[in-house]
Amino acid sequence: MGNLQIIDVTPSNVNEHGMFCIKDQKAAGFKQKAEWYSETYKQGLRMKIAQNEKGEKIGFIEYVPAEFAWRPVDAPGYMFIHCMFIYPNKNKNLGYGSLLVQECEKDAKAMGKIGVAVMTSKGAWITNKLLFLKNGFEEVDKSGRFELCVKKFGTSAPTPKLIKWQEQK
């Protein structure tokens, strides 16, 4: 895997390290997301970027306490992974995704969370569940093409569920 550095992105260093999903720091979208990140960081949103020894950013993970998740999930007490990506394809299946998941788990435990949850899918823009299953998560709910995968830190932790957003008015 080489020498991999995990960068904790904070409101004070976001302009230095950037955000993986918006490469152009001069773009209006970058400024908007940086402002949003600074506000949401107070609620527990965290972003970590994986960078190789050449300084190339090869992946990121973004997660928040589930009470503040913007995905349709009911998972009080859990950390919820919103986004995760490894790029380019040559960096996939080398263990970088697992390292980022472990970083999330470490933060979740430090924050007193009872587990980590993530919404997965085989479709575009959402991580496939295989990475999470490989890291000790289990699928606990499904709605259409979306699955909810969970890793509990204790056996007595309640099981999260997807909110059936299609049925809500």
Side-chain angles (χ1 to χ4, degrees), residues 120-132:
T120 63
S121 175
K122 288 184 182 175
W125 303 108
I126 295 184
T127 306
N128 188 298
K129 70 180 175 183
L130 296 178
L131 169 70
F132 298 100

Side-chain angles (χ1 to χ4, degrees), residues 90-163:
K90 70 178 183 172
N91 292 319
K92 292 183 179 180
N93 300 310
L94 297 176
Y96 300 134
S98 292
L99 287 174
L100 290 170
V101 169
Q102 291 163 12
E103 286 288 318
C104 173
E105 290 176 19
K106 208 170 24 177
D107 282 353
K109 288 177 181 176
M111 292 174 78
K113 298 298 176 189
I114 58 176
V116 176
V118 61
M119 194 168 153
T120 63
S121 175
K122 288 184 182 175
W125 303 108
I126 295 184
T127 306
N128 188 298
K129 70 180 175 183
L130 296 178
L131 169 70
F132 298 100
L133 297 177
K134 188 168 48 171
N135 281 281
F137 285 65
E138 63 177 314
E139 184 180 327
V140 296
D141 201 0
K142 187 173 175 89
S143 180
R145 72 175 178 101
F146 300 101
E147 306 100 4
L148 181 63
C149 294
V150 172
K151 185 171 189 178
K152 297 178 180 182
F153 297 150
T155 55
S156 63
T159 301
K161 61 184 177 207
L162 289 171
I163 297 169

Side-chain angles (χ1 to χ4, degrees), residues 14-162:
V14 70
N15 289 324
E16 176 187 349
H17 295 294
M19 289 177 276
F20 192 85
C21 52
I22 302 176
K23 304 283 186 200
D24 182 4
Q25 291 189 12
K26 294 178 183 172
F30 181 89
K31 183 179 179 200
Q32 290 171 335
K33 185 160 184 181
E35 289 171 3
W36 166 82
Y37 185 67
S38 293
E39 284 303 309
T40 315
Y41 188 85
K42 296 170 192 169
Q43 297 173 333
L45 179 67
R46 296 296 180 263
M47 183 187 313
K48 297 194 182 221
I49 295 175
Q51 180 174 288
N52 67 18
E53 64 275 356
K54 298 176 187 173
E56 299 167 329
K57 292 175 175 73
I58 59 170
F60 87 107
I61 189 168
E62 188 178 284
Y63 47 91
V64 68
E67 294 82 359
F68 300 108
W70 58 86
R71 302 247 191 243
V73 64
D74 181 19
Y78 282 80
M79 187 67 77
F80 188 81
I81 299 172
H82 276 143
C83 299
M84 183 175 174
F85 197 66
I86 302 295
Y87 181 83
N89 285 338
K90 70 178 183 172
N91 292 319
K92 292 183 179 180
N93 300 310
L94 297 176
Y96 300 134
S98 292
L99 287 174
L100 290 170
V101 169
Q102 291 163 12
E103 286 288 318
C104 173
E105 290 176 19
K106 208 170 24 177
D107 282 353
K109 288 177 181 176
M111 292 174 78
K113 298 298 176 189
I114 58 176
V116 176
V118 61
M119 194 168 153
T120 63
S121 175
K122 288 184 182 175
W125 303 108
I126 295 184
T127 306
N128 188 298
K129 70 180 175 183
L130 296 178
L131 169 70
F132 298 100
L133 297 177
K134 188 168 48 171
N135 281 281
F137 285 65
E138 63 177 314
E139 184 180 327
V140 296
D141 201 0
K142 187 173 175 89
S143 180
R145 72 175 178 101
F146 300 101
E147 306 100 4
L148 181 63
C149 294
V150 172
K151 185 171 189 178
K152 297 178 180 182
F153 297 150
T155 55
S156 63
T159 301
K161 61 184 177 207
L162 289 171

